[in-house]
Amino acid sequence: MTKLPPLAAGLLASATIAACATAQEAAPEPPLLAIYAFATADAPTVVGAMDDMMEACGDGIPAAVSIIDETFNGSDPSTHTVMFTYANAEAMMATANTFQTCEGSEAFYETVFSVIEPHGDWLAQGVAGGGDAYADNVFMVFQMAVKDEAAYGAA
């Protein structure tokens, strides 16, 4: 099992597990998920800024990028989440480089941070799941602190 990166602040697991890799099987590296939660009363401005940024910088962003409208999320005040799904750490680093060098990212930050209230950001790696994370458009996210990863994985 791949150990979570030290910077991981949350854990993303699929609500429906279609398949699990066993120790004997060679499993592909699970995708890395960069998750940014925020509240906004101006979702159209956020979506427009994201569209403009992806048009200007998207060629340098090897990730599936989703803007999620939160349906319900308990006591979390976030209204939306942006999620970047990376195939591996190299794709994540390429995106970070693009955000440092693409002029469209500066306009994105200026526009978006004028209409949002950030609530959290996480780097996570799925430990189990099924289907194609790049093609899915409905997710259930459970955030938890796991004290014994081996016992959790075995369960």
Side-chain angles (χ1 to χ4, degrees), residues 34-50 65-71 73 75-84 108-109 111-122 143:
I35 304 163
Y36 306 93
F38 57 92
T40 186
D42 192 357
T45 294
V46 174
V47 172
M50 180 68 76
V65 182
S66 304
I67 300 176
I68 302 161
D69 183 5
E70 304 290 347
T71 302
N73 54 2
S75 62
D76 186 340
S78 300
T79 59
H80 295 79
T81 302
V82 172
M83 183 167 61
F84 289 74
F108 169 76
Y109 286 124
T111 301
V112 168
F113 280 96
S114 71
V115 297
I116 71 166
E117 180 182 328
H119 288 208
D121 50 76
W122 303 268
Q143 296 180 15

Side-chain angles (χ1 to χ4, degrees), residues 1 20 30 37 39 73 129 131:
M1 175 184 287
C20 291
N73 54 2

